[in-house]
Amino acid sequence: MKLVVANWKMHKTRAEAAEYARDLGASIGDGIAGRELVLAPSFTALAQARDTRGRWTIACQNVAAETEGAYTGEVSAVQAREAGCAYAIVGHSERRRLFGEDGALLARKLARCREAGLTPIYCLGETLAERDGGETEAVLSRQVETLDEHPAALPLVVAYEPVWAIGTGRAAEPSDFRTACVGLRRLLAGRSALRVLYGGSVTPENAGPLAAEPSVDGFLVGGASLSAVAFAAIARA
Ligand code: PEP
């Protein structure tokens, strides 16, 4: 079963999310065989993004590192789970870069996901400078260490997202991400419920060739997922 996740980032009002859900439902009918679809809207639109027919599930794009308390503006993993989330995106490069999230903080977020019963979609990937400097393997190994406390038997989704491919229109070639994804599987060997996704400028046009690459179990899609029709086309690819 391929997993295809739509990361809407800070886009869509509740009305737009409801319209998207209608469009996606119309586009996929009874669902797409062999595909698990997940929508990750803003917290405000979780209810509108849900599907009463269960053809897709919902994810949050972030959770608090704390369980509850005086953390103004935060949303806890328990609250996200109660709002219907099955998954939580943790460690997206935008959160690492723009909000200074580091391995120690992300390990706490992963712990909160476990306690709440949310499956993490843990994002990692190297920057262009790191890639050019031949540091990809070292960067990924370091980012994987954040998962050390995550029990091997629990479901885990890892999204390999080279930072230079996110939102740039420059998707990695399968030859670019094969080595990284195979390496990640080696680093995470022994985990019984591991899925490895690729993310970075996936579009309906390039999804077919990218999906043919056996080292990935699906995609995390940003920009192109903002159209229900495009997201459905990617999922079908
Ligand atoms: C992302 O934000 O996770 C992502 C992959 O974005 P895009 O598809 O726009 O590159």
Side-chain angles (χ1 to χ4, degrees):
M1 181 75 97
K2 296 276 186 188
L3 177 62
V4 193
V5 183
N7 175 16
W8 292 354
K9 312 192 184 191
M10 199 173 70
H11 292 286
K12 297 197 186 294
T13 62
R14 284 146 56 100
E16 288 164 346
E19 186 186 350
Y20 184 108
R22 276 194 301 276
D23 290 349
L24 183 60
S27 181
I28 67 171
D30 289 332
I32 306 176
R35 302 290 185 270
E36 180 185 348
L37 306 185
V38 179
L39 302 184
S42 299
F43 286 113
T44 50
L46 284 171
Q48 286 70 25
R50 275 177 95 158
D51 181 34
T52 47
R53 289 178 55 192
R55 291 166 296 178
W56 62 83
T57 55
I58 52 172
C60 50
Q61 299 172 14
N62 182 32
V63 291
E66 311 298 336
T67 311
E68 68 173 346
Y71 302 102
T72 302
E74 291 290 270
V75 175
S76 76
V78 168
Q79 290 169 328
R81 184 81 188 99
E82 188 206 30
C85 292
Y87 294 91
I89 298 176
V90 175
H92 191 281
S93 66
E94 286 153 16
R95 300 232 36 112
R96 291 180 192 259
R97 183 169 49 88
L98 301 172
F99 301 96
E101 297 196 355
D102 61 9
L105 180 84
L106 296 174
R108 282 166 44 222
K109 293 188 174 204
L110 290 167
R112 302 294 85 77
C113 287
R114 280 199 293 285
E115 291 158 7
L118 287 171
T119 297
I121 300 172
Y122 177 68
C123 301
L124 37 64
E126 80 287 0
T127 63
L128 191 56
E130 288 163 343
R131 184 181 187 81
D132 290 346
E135 296 165 42
T136 301
E137 212 181 310
V139 169
L140 297 185
S141 305
R142 197 171 60 239
Q143 291 175 335
V144 159
E145 282 172 16
T146 301
L147 295 164
D148 280 354
E149 302 295 315
H150 194 78
L154 281 187
L156 172 66
V157 180
V158 170
Y160 171 60
E161 300 207 297
V163 177
W164 47 271
I166 297 179
T168 58
R170 177 185 164 197
E173 297 291 328
S175 54
D176 290 323
F177 63 75
R178 185 178 303 129
T179 314
C181 291
V182 169
L184 284 171
R185 286 185 195 279
R186 204 174 33 243
L187 288 168
L188 294 165
R191 292 179 180 268
S192 47
L194 171 70
R195 284 176 291 177
V196 178
L197 309 184
Y198 165 73
S201 298
V202 176
T203 64
E205 291 71 38
N206 64 20
L210 296 179
E213 169 55 40
S215 64
V216 291
D217 302 309
F219 299 133
L220 177 53
V221 190
S225 77
L226 292 174
S227 151
V229 171
F231 182 61
I234 290 170
R236 276 197 193 87

